[in-house]
Amino acid sequence: MAQATLDMGVITTVDGTPLKTKLRQAERRNRLRSFGLVFPLLAFIMISFVFPIGDMIFRSVDNPVVAQHLPRTLAALENWDGQEIPDEEVFSVLAQEMRVAAEAREIGKVATRLNYDLPGSRSTITKTARKIRKIEEGPYKEVFIEADKDWGETETWSKLKQVGERYTISYYLAAVDLQRDATGNIISQPENRQIYVPLFLRTLWVSLLITVICLLLAYPIAYLMATLPVRYSNLLIILVLLPFWTSLLVRTTSWIVLLQTEGVLNDILVWIGVISDEGRIQMIYNMTGTIVAMVHILLPFMVLPLFSVMKTISPSYMRAAKSLGATPSRAFWTVYFPNTVPGIGAGSLLVFILAIGYYITPALVGGRTGQLISNFIAFHMQSSLNWGLAAALGGLLLAGVLALYWLYNRVVGIDSMKFG
Amino acid sequence: MAEPVDALVRFKEVQKSYDGETLVVKNLNLDVARGEFLTMLGPSGSGKTTCLMMLAGFETATHGEIYLDGQAINNVPPHRRNIGMVFQNYALFPHMTVRENLAYPLEVRKLGKAEIEQKIARALAMVQLEAFGDRRPGQLSGGQAQRVAVARALVFEPQLVLMDEPLGALDKQLREQMQYEIKHIHENLGVTVVYVTHDQSEALTMSNRIAVFNDGVIQQLAPPDALYEEPENAFVAQFIGENNRLLGKVQAMNGQTCRVTLDDGGDVEALAVNVDQVGARSTLSLRPERVTINPAADSVPNVFDARVEELIYLGDHMRTRFNVCGHDDFIVKVPNAAGHVVLEPGEVVKIGWKAEDCRALDA
Ligand SMILES: Nc1ncnc2c1ncn2[C@@H]1O[C@H](COP(=O)(O)OP(=O)(O)OP(=O)(O)O)[C@@H](O)[C@H]1O
Ligand SMILES: [Mg+2]
């Protein structure tokens, strides 16, 4: 045991090393060892989590296509005042660059990119590019306007200038149904193109609904699991965990079997005469289907945190409350329930965050009206190939979840949360 | 023991079974007088908690009636019985401060704000925790939490308070201090207390009467001194205090006393307490402090040779282990008084005792 001696204000061990140095040496070894132990996980998280998310966030602002293919045009437009259409000089630079891009078969990308911000402009570019390849010399201005009269509009040019920015916020603007007008002011999208904000709201609302339904269903189950004698509660725990042993796809498709118009539930309802054969209820391929299937899938994530909290609540609390004169219901609401709040918080946060980004179930049983924001992210990733917009939508979702987490931490405190 | 004149609690022929096969409480008849401090004492599993839970209303009696203040309460739910209860693990509500815990029974009873404040202040003063009102139970020491639990059980002024091993989790010193405090509170408030413990010294120091439980049956119900000095059966004699047991057979009965022949030879004159006929087997019970060493001739009827086996110095007395009539666990307490005998291990001396100090009990 090192004996501390006070020597000119510095505490040292017996052999004269300052105590602090010695302590740091002793702890460094421990720290190295624990770092070695967590390193594989850390590396995995970096590769599978941090890096992809970083890449996604970068893609949501990254905007290389136009800047890469039309650099000189953009330079020429630098000092353009936006009042009238540019002069012949700009047209000829653009013509040369379009010709090069067309020969490299890259002009389609430029057209697609412009089309995101100026719907209908894809054909403007492709048509014009075809025209230009046929002529050798300018003047180009008339050729352009002849190919597509949009070249005579200042809006086309200001949009071209906007999509030429190397880094852009236009994906984020699009993700919240906004856009920039010709002069760069932020305005809302035309009415018929506002889809993402309602979709976000719908996703939030549906997630909230699913969370509340899960809570209402899970609370009594968890209560029984925590209070029944062990031999019954073990059975209940197995029943709750059973879905985890079944494939997600199987569970989702079994809802299709149950709920479709020719499905089991409708058949039974018709058979017992509650509804007529013509009046079969549409319970799947719409929002109802999404909610039913997702509640089923997310229920265990609510039950388990609740159960783990309830298990720690001594039954003597309820007895004490009753002996002090509280009716059973009052004892429950004033003593038992407040002690389960950490479990409610943890379960709700878990279910809500899972629900808000859920993809596979709405995709399978949501039909047209039961789609959530994640389905649109997938659509832009896989079908429209507008990765920038997909990344921006995902980034907003991530920010929303983080904000929620922050809020929860401020209100309830993350330390009091119990997951299981 | 005379019937208490004014019984606040009455158990009448109460039986309890959890599984329908074994009786945990067998035919319990017990009266608790108003203002009494009654302790249920007994080994683990003897049914003490079960009796308390039936009284509090958390378990139902399988058979029989329980009366509180003359009313049968078998069908009254716990929250309408108006009985204070102190639990072994305190059961303070962790999400409430001490003050809120104390206010809980008062708010349930819809008392006015000022009255609640006043009662809380008085309750906190009673347990000397005035400065701790705004703490949470998690921030209290064991002894403080226990005091709050006692205060909470008393703050709504119930006529009856039940305590189930309330001091079980405390260390020895704190336990003794709390015993004194609870006793003090009981005397000041005049409340009736039914107390459960399996610590006999706790029972002896605190109680007006003690009910000794074994195997679901009250073995003896008596004040502490009577229980110690006049145990009615071998279990009580063995369970309360230290006790020398000698086994034998009744040889003759003559009124108050009887003659018992020990299994290893030797006749003992003893008080006939719990033997009824000649030939019955009997356990003789003799307190270690009632044995004299080298008694004067003819002063006591029972005199035996005893070899000193072991001497333990305990300050105020010497604990001496003898071999008497083939029993080598015969304990005698020799007081450390002026002129006491000096013994050496291996030495053989005479020991003796009076007939009335030696109780012939059931075998
Ligand atoms: N809820 C229950 N279900 C079944 N049996 C029980 C239950 N509670 C108690 N018992 C049984 O009843 C008997 C008496 O139990 P009880 O708790 O009354 O004993 P006790 O005297 O309080 O013991 P201790 O000093 O250990 O607290 C025991 O054999 C116990 O196993
Ligand atoms: Mg008990």
Side-chain angles (χ1 to χ4, degrees):
Chain A
M1 180 105 174
Q3 196 180 348
T5 51
L6 206 70
D7 185 18
M8 294 181 348
V10 181
I11 306 175
T12 65
T13 56
V14 175
D15 59 6
T17 358
L19 200 56
K20 281 203 172 139
T21 319
K22 196 83 182 172
L23 188 68
R24 227 175 294 130
Q25 282 171 0
E27 286 191 342
R28 187 179 310 141
R29 219 166 303 133
N30 273 339
R31 238 175 300 154
L32 275 178
R33 186 177 316 139
S34 42
F35 182 75
L37 284 173
V38 298
F39 180 75
L41 180 64
L42 200 65
F44 179 77
I45 287 179
M46 286 302 291
I47 293 169
S48 70
F49 204 68
V50 176
F51 175 68
I53 287 180
D55 184 58
M56 179 195 80
I57 289 171
F58 177 69
R59 269 174 200 279
S60 66
V61 292
D62 189 27
N63 189 32
V65 175
V66 179
Q68 184 189 332
H69 292 292
L70 308 176
R72 287 191 293 126
T73 312
L74 293 170
L77 279 172
E78 191 73 38
N79 294 321
W80 176 60
D81 60 3
Q83 297 300 324
E84 285 166 26
I85 55 169
D87 49 26
E88 173 61 25
E89 196 186 331
V90 178
F91 276 97
S92 79
V93 172
L94 178 58
Q96 285 163 32
E97 286 187 322
M98 278 173 77
R99 195 177 289 144
V100 174
E103 264 153 29
R105 299 190 177 283
E106 294 282 350
I107 195 68
K109 284 186 188 170
V110 177
T112 306
R113 178 63 192 90
L114 187 62
N115 195 56
Y116 289 157
D117 280 27
L118 187 63
S121 61
R122 173 193 297 276
S123 61
T124 310
I125 299 274
T126 45
K127 249 190 289 174
T128 314
R130 241 178 283 126
K131 267 249 163 76
I132 298 167
R133 290 182 72 176
K134 290 186 195 129
I135 57 171
E136 297 294 315
E137 298 263 304
Y140 290 101
K141 191 168 177 173
E142 283 71 37
V143 181
F144 269 68
I145 294 172
E146 193 185 320
D148 194 315
K149 63 178 180 346
D150 284 356
W151 289 117
E153 307 277 336
T154 50
E155 192 194 2
T156 312
W157 290 96
S158 51
K159 283 286 173 190
L160 186 66
K161 195 175 165 184
Q162 278 169 18
V163 300
E165 290 165 1
R166 185 64 186 82
Y167 296 101
T168 180
I169 58 159
S170 68
Y171 292 126
Y172 279 105
L173 291 178
V176 290
D177 290 341
L178 295 176
Q179 62 175 354
R180 279 179 297 183
D181 68 6
T183 48
N185 296 324
I186 292 171
I187 57 168
S188 54
Q189 297 267 13
E191 200 91 3
N192 60 343
R193 290 175 53 83
Q194 291 181 5
I195 50 171
Y196 297 115
V197 169
L199 198 61
F200 268 117
L201 290 179
R202 185 207 282 178
T203 305
L204 283 177
W205 159 242
V206 168
S207 301
L208 201 67
L209 190 65
I210 288 169
T211 308
V212 170
I213 296 174
C214 275
L215 181 62
L216 293 179
L217 291 176
Y219 203 93
I221 302 174
Y223 180 79
L224 283 180
M225 277 163 60
T227 50
L228 280 182
V230 176
R231 65 204 147 103
Y232 302 113
S233 66
N234 274 347
L235 185 70
L236 266 180
I237 292 169
I238 290 173
L239 289 179
V240 167
L241 291 178
L242 204 61
F244 282 133
W245 305 340
T246 326
S247 149
L248 184 72
L249 276 174
V250 173
R251 277 182 284 154
T252 306
T253 41
S254 60
W255 280 112
I256 300 177
V257 175
L258 280 174
L259 297 183
Q260 63 190 343
T261 30
E262 300 299 320
V264 179
L265 196 59
N266 267 311
D267 283 350
I268 291 175
L269 288 178
V270 170
W271 185 67
I272 60 175
V274 176
I275 52 174
S276 67
D277 202 21
E278 300 78 48
R280 284 170 180 266
I281 307 167
Q282 180 73 34
M283 288 182 282
I284 203 143
Y285 304 125
N286 58 14
M287 195 49 93
T288 316
T290 301
I291 291 173
V292 168
M294 276 177 66
V295 163
H296 171 230
I297 282 156
L298 296 177
L299 196 57
F301 296 101
M302 185 66 93
V303 173
L304 293 178
L306 277 177
F307 168 62
S308 81
V309 167
M310 287 178 177
K311 217 172 34 167
T312 64
I313 300 176
S314 159
S316 66
Y317 291 153
M318 283 290 274
R319 289 185 164 182
K322 285 183 206 162
S323 83
L324 294 172
T327 58
S329 78
R330 180 168 185 152
F332 175 82
W333 286 111
T334 53
V335 173
Y336 196 85
F337 182 78
N339 280 301
T340 60
V341 165
I344 294 176
S348 302
L349 198 64
L350 204 58
V351 169
F352 188 82
I353 288 176
L354 284 172
I356 215 172
Y358 225 77
Y359 163 66
I360 187 85
T361 303
L364 286 176
V365 301
R368 200 179 50 79
T369 55
Q371 300 290 304
L372 300 181
I373 193 72
S374 51
N375 302 104
F376 277 75
I377 295 177
F379 168 76
H380 286 303
M381 292 293 291
Q382 294 161 354
S383 308
S384 82
L385 298 183
N386 187 352
W387 284 20
L389 183 56
L393 289 169
L396 285 180
L397 205 55
L398 180 67
V401 168
L402 289 179
L404 200 72
Y405 189 79
W406 177 83
L407 195 73
Y408 181 87
N409 192 21
R410 284 294 296 273
V411 177
V412 187
I414 226 74
D415 299 338
S416 71
M417 182 149 73
K418 289 192 181 150
F419 278 118
Chain B
M1 185 72 212
E3 282 283 294
V5 258
D6 184 15
L8 179 66
V9 176
R10 165 166 287 170
F11 286 90
K12 188 154 169 264
E13 293 169 0
V14 172
Q15 294 182 314
K16 173 70 185 177
S17 174
Y18 285 106
D19 51 7
E21 285 166 16
T22 51
L23 280 175
V24 170
V25 175
K26 300 166 186 164
N27 197 19
L28 178 76
N29 288 291
L30 175 65
D31 284 0
V32 182
R34 204 176 289 277
E36 187 176 25
F37 196 117
L38 182 126
T39 298
M40 294 178 174
L41 175 67
S44 195
S46 55
K48 309 179 297 286
T49 300
T50 305
C51 287
L52 215 60
M53 287 300 164
M54 287 192 289
L55 185 49
F58 297 121
E59 295 289 350
T60 52
T62 314
H63 174 84
E65 296 284 342
I66 300 172
Y67 297 92
L68 178 66
D69 216 3
Q71 307 286 317
I73 54 168
N74 289 37
N75 294 320
V76 178
H79 63 273
R80 284 209 235 110
R81 295 194 181 191
N82 205 31
I83 296 175
M85 185 144 188
V86 181
F87 293 82
Q88 177 165 4
N89 55 4
Y90 319 133
L92 296 176
F93 306 139
H95 59 296
M96 298 184 190
T97 63
V98 168
R99 205 178 289 281
E100 287 162 348
N101 264 283
L102 293 178
Y104 192 84
L106 306 173
E107 279 165 2
V108 168
R109 287 171 174 73
K110 300 195 168 62
L111 265 58
K113 249 198 157 65
E115 201 179 354
I116 290 180
E117 282 304 317
Q118 185 193 340
K119 286 189 184 213
I120 291 175
R122 216 183 309 144
L124 283 175
M126 178 180 73
V127 293
Q128 292 144 38
L129 287 175
E130 290 95 332
F132 294 80
D134 296 320
R135 295 233 191 145
R136 303 232 166 206
Q139 302 165 315
L140 297 176
S141 74
Q144 289 162 348
Q146 188 56 68
R147 287 201 190 101
V148 175
V150 170
R152 189 179 65 176
L154 290 166
V155 72
F156 59 101
E157 290 160 23
Q159 38 185 348
L160 176 64
V161 178
L162 312 180
M163 304 193 187
D164 189 359
E165 305 199 30
L167 309 182
L170 304 182
D171 64 48
K172 190 166 174 296
Q173 205 172 350
L174 199 54
R175 196 157 64 215
E176 280 165 8
Q177 188 190 339
M178 286 298 298
Q179 285 170 12
Y180 169 77
E181 283 182 23
I182 291 176
K183 184 71 195 151
H184 203 73
I185 288 170
H186 165 248
E187 281 162 1
N188 285 345
L189 299 183
V191 63
T192 310
V193 179
V194 176
Y195 192 96
V196 165
T197 181
H198 55 232
D199 179 339
Q200 51 147 313
S201 74
E202 194 166 297
L204 292 174
T205 48
M206 298 177 83
S207 322
N208 296 125
R209 285 194 302 160
I210 299 172
V212 180
F213 273 69
N214 188 35
D215 204 13
V217 175
I218 294 186
Q219 303 288 331
Q220 188 171 354
L221 174 62
D225 52 344
L227 207 60
Y228 184 79
E229 281 163 33
E230 296 158 11
E232 275 167 13
N233 58 41
F235 176 83
V236 176
Q238 188 64 21
F239 193 73
I240 307 283
E242 214 171 1
N243 176 53
N244 289 309
R245 280 151 44 102
L246 299 168
L247 299 173
K249 193 185 273 183
V250 179
Q251 203 67 33
M253 306 272 294
N254 28 14
Q256 289 274 29
T257 61
C258 63
R259 170 168 297 278
V260 176
T261 307
L262 300 183
D263 295 344
D264 309 293
D267 281 0
V268 177
E269 195 76 29
L271 195 65
V273 178
N274 203 354
V275 289
D276 40 12
Q277 73 208 51
V278 172
R281 291 200 56 77
S282 173
T283 305
L284 298 179
S285 156
L286 180 61
R287 295 292 181 198
E289 65 275 14
R290 295 298 169 95
V291 179
T292 5
I293 293 171
N294 294 329
D298 293 333
S299 66
V300 290
N302 306 304
V303 179
F304 291 91
D305 283 335
R307 193 174 71 238
V308 180
E309 297 282 343
E310 196 180 7
L311 289 162
I312 297 169
Y313 179 76
L314 285 171
D316 58 337
H317 70 271
M318 297 282 280
R319 218 176 109 90
T320 316
R321 187 159 65 81
F322 285 101
N323 186 327
V324 181
C325 300
H327 294 266
D328 69 350
D329 55 355
F330 196 94
I331 305 293
V332 176
K333 285 182 183 167
V334 184
N336 192 357
H340 72 88
V341 285
V342 178
L343 298 170
E344 292 291 330
E347 189 184 351
V348 175
V349 295
K350 293 243 178 274
I351 60 169
W353 58 86
K354 293 181 189 161
E356 58 266 36
D357 286 336
C358 179
R359 299 171 68 84
L361 305 172
D362 56 318

